[in-house]
Amino acid sequence: MENRMFKVYASGDEKIQLKIIPGHFATSQSHITHYLEMTTMKTRCAEAGRIARYLATRYETTTPVDSIICLDGLEVVGAFLAEELAKAGVLSMNAHKTIYIVTPEFNGNGQLMFRDNIQHMVRNRNVVILMGSITTGETLRKCIQSVLYYGGTIQGVSSIFSAINKVAGMDINSVFYKKDVPNYESYKPDECPMCKKKEKLDAIVNGYGYSKL
């Protein structure tokens, strides 16, 4: 797969590079035409910090942020984003005047939950949701429902890539959008034209990476 890889560059910052592999990939909710390789973005400090600076510019200093909810292994980016928001003068309304970095869990029913010891970081907090890739928006919807269930107020949604612009009435602040990835498409598994042509799957993918088949 790697020999098919190409790169696209973020608008306004060509040092942010998204690696893309075209093919036939399956997520938990859809089949997609491209795998987006984000490993170095999530793990290298320089790249994670640059993405955080890019995303931070989308938030007004009047937007209060107490917690950043990180999915898809984006805790490093989340920590840098918290630092960037603090430097920009974004207010934290909690008593400690700092921003929490929080990771939810998936329970056996596929719902997002927060353990008792971290629920106070969501309840009555101003929350930003941070994701790697948003394809159908289903995982984001689950996260929004979970944050609201635990008493949080959602102030924004950010991602590295999003195939959609809005979920549950909320705009998605992303570095890359569908228009930035040539011919990117997502299909319901039973409607996938690649499957109908009997094209084999290259890999199963999720927010953490891929497993070749």
Side-chain angles (χ1 to χ4, degrees):
M1 296 193 320
E2 288 77 5
N3 60 3
R4 305 197 299 263
M5 183 183 291
F6 65 95
K7 299 177 182 179
V8 296
Y9 304 89
S11 173
D13 189 345
E14 290 193 349
K15 290 187 178 180
I16 299 179
Q17 305 171 4
L18 179 62
K19 300 173 184 176
I20 301 168
I21 302 174
H24 184 190
F25 305 96
T27 75
S28 59
Q29 286 119 17
S30 64
H31 285 199
I32 54 177
T33 56
H34 296 73
Y35 168 68
L36 311 177
E37 173 54 65
M38 302 180 183
T39 303
T40 57
M41 291 181 168
K42 299 175 184 179
T43 56
R44 287 182 183 167
C45 285
E47 292 185 41
R50 187 172 291 276
I51 290 166
R53 287 191 292 275
Y54 189 100
L55 293 172
T57 60
R58 308 294 178 89
Y59 290 96
E60 302 288 339
T61 55
T62 53
T63 303
V65 179
D66 299 302
S67 297
I68 299 175
I69 308 297
C70 298
L71 284 78
D72 303 332
L74 283 177
E75 289 82 0
V76 176
V77 177
F80 278 114
L81 179 58
E83 184 177 50
E84 290 297 324
L85 293 175
K87 285 195 296 187
V90 169
L91 298 175
S92 300
M93 305 306 287
N94 60 74
H96 300 288
K97 302 300 180 186
T98 190
I99 298 176
Y100 297 105
I101 309 300
V102 186
T103 303
E105 296 177 54
F106 285 90
N107 65 18
N109 296 320
Q111 298 169 314
L112 272 77
M113 59 170 286
F114 297 90
R115 298 280 177 178
D116 291 359
N117 53 302
I118 60 174
Q119 288 178 13
H120 72 280
M121 302 177 190
V122 180
R123 187 180 301 112
N124 299 322
R125 306 296 186 191
N126 296 288
V127 168
V128 166
I129 298 172
L130 178 62
M131 299 182 66
S133 179
I134 301 171
T135 305
T136 65
E138 187 58 33
T139 301
L140 175 55
R141 288 187 186 90
K142 290 179 180 180
C143 189
I144 290 172
Q145 291 169 359
S146 181
V147 169
L148 296 177
Y149 173 82
Y150 286 100
T153 299
I154 300 171
Q155 295 288 0
V157 176
S158 288
S159 67
I160 295 176
F161 170 82
S162 182
I164 51 181
N165 297 319
K166 192 183 291 273
V167 168
M170 302 199 67
D171 292 325
I172 298 171
N173 163 33
S174 192
V175 180
F176 299 94
Y177 293 94
K178 180 179 177 181
K179 63 180 176 59
D180 299 312
V181 181
N183 303 313
Y184 180 95
E185 294 294 342
S186 169
Y187 306 101
K188 294 180 180 178
D190 59 351
E191 297 175 0
C192 176
M194 294 177 286
C195 288
K196 292 177 180 178
K197 293 178 183 177
K198 301 189 183 305
E199 296 178 10
K200 72 182 246 355
L201 282 167
D202 289 295
I204 296 172
V205 303
N206 63 17
Y208 296 93
Y210 65 88
S211 298
K212 290 182 181 179
L213 296 175

